[in-house]
């Protein structure tokens, strides 16, 4: 049995209260105490890690849109790839994630879903980031808004095909990106809503009216704002206009300053607010690796220090780290740490139905937390009460 873990003399961002000189105690994987250091009852059995109030403790981030990291990808369809992702993500402050597939052949998606479903059910390590489910991105998307998704593998939305995939995934698919305007899109959105799977509008050329119809059928999410969607025109608000205007929609954002200029990130924050934005990385296997050429669904992706592109210059996911997304969001918008917590932990937890146990620091919830310094460098990441990463480790 692990000793109780106490993170001491830090600024603790609790669910409802911030403790400037605070502490957080985790026992048996759950948060058991948090408050002012003056309330801490010392015990010789506790493992105490002390910092200073310049350091903050926040809930672990939940990345609902991530393809890969550390030379591993969900489409590798192997247990080792998923273990690598789960072991790598705590370095950037992510304690939970949805491994994300992409538009590929039916056989390749089959294999990925089988591997992910098996991993989620049987092979998770409490000292690593937790895979909470699967994000099926494509192949039910618009060819007009495919981006880096291979055109020849795009399919029309199909309830029957989704049912087959959900069975293969052991019913762990939690979020589906699709183009609701395509034939069969509305029917699939309705079915997803009925089965408690989040229907997300993405890689979509939908008009505003088509988005409104999708919301009526149960859509509640938008995939990577600005990217892979019909933009705003003064006579056609499009998907982007709907993301700004419709309060039913949580909206993903890649805050790297590349997928969206910092001014557009600020505009999104001003229009949508931290109440509906969800920060994601949409990262590839190349994250945490050196510059070079890597694979994305059989396509070569060219990666440098800041971005990943196909040979023709098309953006192909990101190499964004979650703690950098947090820092960028504050730099680009002037938002608060509490806003960042809302966008990286609270909102994704609520959207995928796990806020009862994740997404905030509260007694009784999972011991998922991150210690950050003033530059948002990760000092310590705890996953379900186990130290998953400590600054200085490789």
């Amino acid at each position: 049995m692990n000793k109780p873990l106490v993170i001491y003399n830090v600024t603790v961002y609790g669910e409802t209260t911030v403790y400037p000189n605070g502490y957080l105690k985790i026992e048996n994987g759950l948060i058991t105490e948090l408050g002012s250091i003056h309330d801490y009852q010392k015990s010789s059995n506790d493992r105490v890690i002390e910092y200073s109030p310049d350091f903050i403790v926040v809930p672990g981030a939940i990345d609902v849109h991530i393809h890969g990291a550390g030379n591993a990808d969900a489409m590798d369809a192997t247990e080792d790839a998923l273990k690598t992702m789960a072991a790598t993500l705590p370095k950037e402050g992510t304690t939970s994630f949805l491994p994300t597939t992409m538009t590929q052949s039916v056989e390749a998606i089959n294999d990925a879903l089988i591997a992910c479903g098996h991993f989620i059910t049987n092979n998770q390590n409490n000292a690593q980031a937790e895979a909470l489910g699967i994000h099926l991105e494509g192949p039910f998307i618009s060819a007009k808004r495919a981006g880096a998704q291979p055109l020849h593998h795009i399919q029309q939305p199909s309830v029957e095909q989704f049912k087959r995939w959900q069975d293969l995934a052991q019913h762990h698919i939690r979020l589906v990106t699709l183009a609701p305007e395509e034939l069969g899109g509305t029917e699939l959105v309705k079915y997803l809503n009925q089965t408690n799977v989040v229907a997300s509008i993405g890689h979509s050329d939908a008009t505003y009216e088509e988005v409104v119809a999708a919301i009526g059928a149960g859509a509640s999410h938008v995939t990577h704002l600005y990217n892979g969607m019909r933009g705003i025109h003064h006579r056609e608000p499009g998907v982007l206009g709907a993301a700004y205007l419709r309060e039913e929609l949580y909206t993903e954002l890649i805050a790297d300053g590349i997928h969206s200029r910092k001014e557009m990130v600020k505009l999104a924050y001003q229009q949508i607010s931290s109440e509906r934005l969800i920060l994601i990385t949409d990262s590839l296997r190349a994250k945490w690796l050196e510059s070079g050429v890597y694979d994305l669904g059989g396509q070569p992706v060219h990666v440098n220090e800041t971005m990943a592109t196909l040979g023709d210059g098309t953006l192909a996911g990101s190499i964004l780290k979650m703690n950098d997304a947090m820092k960028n969001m504050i730099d680009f918008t002037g938002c608060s740490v509490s806003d960042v917590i809302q966008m990286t932990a609270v909102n994704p937890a609520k959207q995928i139905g796990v806020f009862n146990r994740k997404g905030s620091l509260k007694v009784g919830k999972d011991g998922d937390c991150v210690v950050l310094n003033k530059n948002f460098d990760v000092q310590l990441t705890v996953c379900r009460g186990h130290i998953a990463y400590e600054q200085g480790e490789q």
Side-chain angles (χ1 to χ4, degrees), residues 205-210 230-239 241:
D205 196 47
T207 64
Y208 182 80
E209 286 73 19
E210 287 169 330
R230 183 189 285 260
I232 287 179
H233 184 274
H234 53 282
R235 288 190 293 273
E236 174 46 68
V239 179

Side-chain angles (χ1 to χ4, degrees), residues 277-306:
L277 282 172
I278 293 176
L279 298 189
I280 60 162
T281 66
D282 193 14
S283 65
L284 309 172
R285 71 169 67 250
K287 179 161 66 172
W288 290 102
L289 301 181
E290 296 178 353
S291 298
V293 180
Y294 299 92
D295 175 76
L296 176 69
Q299 306 168 99
V301 175
H302 302 264
V303 176
N304 59 29
E305 292 82 3
T306 57

Side-chain angles (χ1 to χ4, degrees), residues 173-244:
I173 299 174
R174 286 199 179 227
L175 193 155
V176 176
T177 292
L178 74 157
E181 75 278 10
E182 296 294 317
L183 184 65
T186 300
E187 289 75 17
L188 181 53
V189 170
K190 286 180 180 176
Y191 180 77
L192 295 173
N193 187 49
Q194 290 165 0
T195 56
N196 296 313
V197 177
V198 176
S200 183
I201 301 161
H203 292 281
S204 167
D205 196 47
T207 64
Y208 182 80
E209 286 73 19
E210 287 169 330
V211 175
V212 171
I215 293 170
S220 62
H221 197 93
V222 173
T223 296
H224 45 48
L225 188 73
Y226 299 124
N227 302 112
M229 65 178 58
R230 183 189 285 260
I232 287 179
H233 184 274
H234 53 282
R235 288 190 293 273
E236 174 46 68
V239 179
L240 177 54
Y244 280 168

